[in-house]
Amino acid sequence: MLSLRTLSLPSPLHRTLSTPSITSLFTSMSYGPAPEDDSAARSWIKSHDGKFGAFINGEWIKEGEVVDNVCPSDGSILSQTHQAPISLLDRAIESSEIAYKSWSTLPPHHRARHLYSIARNLQKHSRLLSVIESLDNGKPIREVRDGDVGLAVRHFYYHAGWAQVLNEEMPNYSSLGVVSQIIPWNFPLLMLAWKIAPALSTGNTVILKPAPNTRLSAFLFADILKESGLPGGVVNVVSGDNEMAEAMVSDTRIDKVAFTGSTNVGKHLQKETAGRGIKLSLELGGKSPVIVYDSADLDGAVEGLVNGIFYNQGQVCCAGSRLLVQENIYEKFIEKVKRRMSTLRVGSSLEKNIDMAALIDETQKKRIQEFVEIGREEGADVYQQTECPDGCYYPPTLITNVQSTSRLVQEEIFGPVLVAQTFRTPTEAIKLANNSKYGLSAGVWTEQLGLALETALSVKAGVLWVNGHNNFDAAAGFGGYKESGFGREGGKEGLYEYMKLKWKSRGQKTVSDQIIARSDNWGKETLAPLPSSPTSSSTGLPSVDRTPKMYIGGAQKRPDGNYVLPIMSHDGETLLGQVGAGNRKDVRDAVQAANKAALGWGKRAAYNRSQILFFIAENLSIRKEEFAKRLDAMTGCGEDEGMKEVEESISRLFTYASYADKYGGSVQETAFYGVTTSVNEPVGVIGMVCDDGERPLLSFISMIAPAIVRGNAVVVAPSEKYPLAATDLYQVLDTSDLPGGVLNIVTGESAVIAKTLAEHQHIDGVWYFGDVEGCYNVQKRAAGNMKRTFVCSEGRDWMVKQQGEGEEFLRESSEVKNIWMPMGESMSGAGAAY
Ligand code: NAP
Ligand code: MG
């Protein structure tokens, strides 16, 4: 467990700082220099002749143009790297593919032994790793030594354990194949560990690309892999440029892309991987709020806040960069923050006495300067008191008197800049906290347990710290909601990112040029065809018209466009009914209704949600003959098969009604002094498009039931070809106490509805079951606001339990939030070091 109470000022001393006499005593104290010796690091660089290359199949390959590796602390050149040409990627992938055959089939214990050996060797070289990382990135040696390295080691131990027990714990899952991993510069070694450890543990092989300005710890790691006896090709490190990064994503031999970095690149990757059937996990930016209530231990909060924003010079995706303080303590609290900031020292990274060191490079410094300049122009107050050495340094900064709409409040600065605002009530605090396109993490400070928990459960973010900040451990997942990305790293929840259900294929991995070319026209509304010949009844009179409407907000609504689609019997002879052709307006109405219902529904007791689902099952059961006949009429399956489908649908409703109160989360066994709990929260509003297969009722139920029971609101397009199985459910729903707006049904052309759902800003996830073209277009368009997607183009046999129900659907219906709650008499800032 990493607790970032590592700023050089010991906290007991700090706690007494409020008395002026001790403050002056403290400020008169001076620090002597205490530099870390870097000679071992320099000798390691020399052992490579000062030049690195790509690490492929266990060998160093030095080809391509040479670039400098710079030390941000003083701008000196540490070493050089050959930029691997693209041809080397080919070799890397080939070796990964070959290695995958044996690595993925190793006995679990053997894989565990390899990961264990890596952990042991990392530990052995921890000092060298710390110095290399500090030199290459510019971060304070103390932070790397006490934080990054220990946590990286912990990830390998933790995942060695998973490798050992994987077959028992996850028997239905298998590895993916070759994984591309692209990491940023802010935590080069740690991000490497977060990515490589779970990938290897689950049987995948890896091609890793470190960020261009921080490659050295990845190279040292490669040396350590050799020493650890890892077979060649299991991990390849490529040292290429942006073209290399693009190729690592577009290559059709890649089974998964894992990325940490900026939201813009994340969106780009979501589009690039769309429709290919490969996995993608994104850990992106944040603008994490820190809420300080008047009931907080204010000194503890100051300490946590300072660590939360100034750690690693603020170049942290989960930095607590948005301070929200209760109005009645605002002045007092800000005074304390300023006083604490004035004691921070900025200096060279190897100096053990400093709190903050160098930024990564001049580009980053300029970016931060520009943001602060915006603040000044907008009339905000900028507090900066710390002296900085010349070069790539920036002082700890506090910005007050700033509007919610300011770019300083909304955008990620990625530097040591804290922006403060006030609130009056908890409701307002939560509203402000959630007023962000990001949702990575948040902190809440109060001594009132109830208030802390209510806030933690109401803020939409993947990681919540109560009276603390920046607690991490391999046993708890890390990752975000909204535009902070999707997928988790760490914990059991992180393993799914590197595994697939055994029955699934490895994906087709490519999308045809034709599909891409016609993408702009996909999902455009076409004029609905004219109605076909009228239905006649046995009396010879025209039958009483039964044209089901849409089901929106718990009521039946006529389609906005007033067009209908005929639904014919399976032999094409009889018109069974006409359904409304839903257009964009219908979908938007449905999304609005769903958003209105989502909050209340998500907060209902699980018991209540399960009762409603059981009730739907009961009411469906009363009318099962009617449904079986309808299925036969539409699909021609025969009434017996129709009855089997209805019975299976009832059973499926029972399954998910059962899971309403059995999938809430767990206590994570972290090294934290306190409780870390993972909570499976609803995703929010999920848009769904059902397939056109021969099981229209069962596929519909299999999709909506898990989502609803886990507290989401749904907008669903039933099968385009056989929609009547869903529209016949309206009465069942009306008699089952399901609140209006929780389930909204829009009939019509699948592509039209899917497009609108994928592009809608107020939808949090989209599920699409259909063809490759649909999957491609849905995933590409979902990148707009980075919706989670769950798509399937390979068809499912919904009658087979393994394919049609279970954990996969529950996971897709949930966001995992990890809440960290310290314990002890003084709750604030508890933690343990590795
Ligand atoms: P970035 O552009 O997202 O780069 C991160 C990684 O992605 C690097 O390894 C980069 O390598 C690679 N990359 C860039 N473009 C790519 C593409 N088209 N396809 C595949 N990979 C690509 O981040 P940055 O430029 O270093 O920093 C910019 C901003 O991103 C920061 O100011 C900060 O706001 C944010 N950021 C966030 C995090 C985080 O942890 N969430 C981390 C770092 C930065 P190449 O340059 O070689 O392509
Ligand atoms: Mg560097």
Side-chain angles (χ1 to χ4, degrees), residues 69-72 78 135-137 213-214 360:
N69 301 325
V70 175
C71 172
L78 285 170
L135 281 172
D136 194 22
N137 168 282
N213 32 12
T214 51
I360 187 68

Side-chain angles (χ1 to χ4, degrees), residues 182-186 209-212 240-242 245-246 249 259-262 265 268-269 283-285 317 364 367 412-414:
I182 300 171
I183 56 173
W185 44 259
N186 55 340
K209 182 185 165 300
D241 56 10
N242 188 254
E246 294 272 4
V249 177
F259 173 79
T260 298
S262 60
V265 176
H268 170 74
L269 297 184
E283 200 272 273
L284 310 173
C317 49
Q364 194 63 15
R367 185 184 143 91
E412 181 177 48
I413 300 175
F414 225 63

